[in-house]
Amino acid sequence: MSGGDIAGLIAAGVFAVLVALLAVPILKLGRVLDELRGSIRTLADGATPLMDEVTATVTTAHGELKRVDVIAENVSDTTANVSALSSLVAATVGSPLVKVAAFSYGVRSALSQPQRGARRPGRRSR
């Protein structure tokens, strides 16, 4: 064997050791990627039922909001009716009450004033 053959064998040995050293991290990386793939599959399998539950919840909430909207419309109608009724009562009862109050005030004022021409006690006329 010549010196070139020996150098070639040494280079081939160093290259084989280098490949062996690089193969270990590549194999570990392959295992990590396999675990990552399994985790993603598990996550996807768990997310599908969760999304179905969220969809059902949103559908139920939408139905309840429709019911609340109907209730709010009924409250609005009732408020308008009560407002109209209070205006009607104020117009119907309010005006006669004001007239009765004015009349009673006039009667009270008339009764509390001394009559004209009547003598006041303790004074003499001239």
Side-chain angles (χ1 to χ4, degrees):
M1 276 210 214
S2 67
D5 291 338
I6 295 175
L9 284 175
I10 292 175
V14 169
F15 185 72
V17 170
L18 181 64
V19 167
L21 288 176
L22 290 177
V24 172
I26 290 175
L27 290 174
K28 287 184 179 181
L29 181 63
R31 286 189 211 128
V32 168
L33 290 176
D34 288 340
E35 288 294 324
L36 182 63
R37 186 181 310 126
S39 297
I40 290 173
R41 185 173 293 127
T42 304
L43 182 65
D45 292 343
T48 302
L50 182 63
M51 285 190 284
D52 292 340
E53 289 178 19
V54 168
T55 302
T57 303
V58 168
T59 302
T60 304
H62 181 67
E64 293 298 321
L65 285 176
K66 282 183 178 180
R67 289 178 53 196
V68 168
D69 189 36
V70 169
I71 292 170
E73 286 177 10
N74 290 339
V75 168
S76 175
D77 293 343
T78 303
T79 303
N81 291 339
V82 167
S83 175
L85 182 63
S86 67
S87 297
L88 178 66
V89 167
T92 304
V93 176
S95 179
L97 284 178
V98 169
K99 289 179 183 178
V100 167
F103 177 74
S104 66
Y105 177 74
V107 168
R108 215 177 22 206
S109 296
L111 292 177
S112 67
Q113 290 181 357
Q115 297 177 353
R116 292 183 188 171
R119 290 187 181 183
R120 294 184 183 174
R123 292 195 178 196
R124 294 184 182 174
S125 63
R126 292 184 193 191

